[in-house]
């Protein structure tokens, strides 16, 4: 199993890539993802901004249960003004950190695959659905700050 730095170490990651809406329109995005560790939880706080004529900003805050020693999976929770409370799990499988999640009402569901390129670089791909309808998909690169 690859040793992971994303999530498992505190740090500030730069995020760049693209989002696609449900009809395939693309928009470039950039932002940051900050990882902080506390004894009882890990915090993943992300901000993404669109590079568009009318920029928009989206903030996310995850509370992650720290991985237990020898365990490859853990739970997380996030709250969103538009999606409500999301519950998910991170699973470490080789060079990937997988995440599957759904809203408390089960209306919204999604998945993320975060692939380790090296200690300072990851690639993330994911999608969010409203029932069977695609809301958005993304392809972003994460680079650990210095």
């Amino acid at each position: 199993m690859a040793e992971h730095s994303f999530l498992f170490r505190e740090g500030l990651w730069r995020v760049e890539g693209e989002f696609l809406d449900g009809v395939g329109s693309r928009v470039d995005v950039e932002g940051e993802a900050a990882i902080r560790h506390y004894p009882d939880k890990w915090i993943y706080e992300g901000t993404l901004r669109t590079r568009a004529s009318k920029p928009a900003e989206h903030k996310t805050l995850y509370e992650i249960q720290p991985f237990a020693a020898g365990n490859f999976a853990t739970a997380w929770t996030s709250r969103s003004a538009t999606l409500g409370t999301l519950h998910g799990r991170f699973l470490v499988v080789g060079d990937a950190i997988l995440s599957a999640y759904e809203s408390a009402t089960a209306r919204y569901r999604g998945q993320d695959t975060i692939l380790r390129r090296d200690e300072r670089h990851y690639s993330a791909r994911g999608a969010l659905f409203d029932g069977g309808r695609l809301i958005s998909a993304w392809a972003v690169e994460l680079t650990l700050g210095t």
Side-chain angles (χ1 to χ4, degrees):
M1 177 160 62
E3 184 177 324
H4 286 278
S5 50
F6 186 72
L7 295 182
F8 290 85
R9 296 186 199 152
E10 291 187 320
L12 182 62
W13 295 78
R14 187 177 73 246
V15 181
E16 293 184 283
E18 66 180 12
F19 261 63
L20 291 83
D21 66 16
V23 295
S25 298
R26 298 173 189 268
V27 63
D28 290 336
V29 294
E30 64 184 1
E32 305 82 33
I35 309 295
R36 296 185 308 276
H37 290 178
Y38 300 96
D40 61 334
K41 64 185 169 188
W42 295 351
I43 299 294
Y44 170 174
E45 189 171 8
T47 302
L48 276 180
R49 293 172 294 280
T50 60
R51 293 186 199 158
S53 57
K54 291 187 178 185
E57 185 173 88
H58 177 73
K59 293 184 178 247
T60 307
L61 180 76
Y62 296 79
E63 288 190 11
I64 304 165
Q65 183 177 7
F67 281 77
N71 207 343
F72 70 97
T74 197
W76 61 263
T77 302
S78 179
R79 287 168 187 78
S80 163
T82 53
L83 303 176
T85 300
L86 299 175
H87 299 283
R89 294 192 62 76
F90 284 118
L91 294 95
V92 176
V93 181
D95 64 348
I97 301 170
L98 307 176
S99 182
Y101 53 92
E102 69 181 17
S103 64
T105 63
R107 176 179 174 181
Y108 301 106
R109 295 171 191 236
Q111 65 82 32
D112 268 303
T113 300
I114 307 165
L115 290 170
R116 182 184 193 276
R117 301 299 183 194
D118 61 42
E119 184 177 335
R120 301 176 53 79
H121 300 94
Y122 280 76
S123 297
R125 309 293 186 257
L128 174 65
F129 296 89
D130 179 350
R133 183 178 64 83
L134 177 68
I135 296 175
S136 61
W138 50 91
V140 297
E141 302 302 313
L142 300 116
T143 304
L144 184 59
T146 53

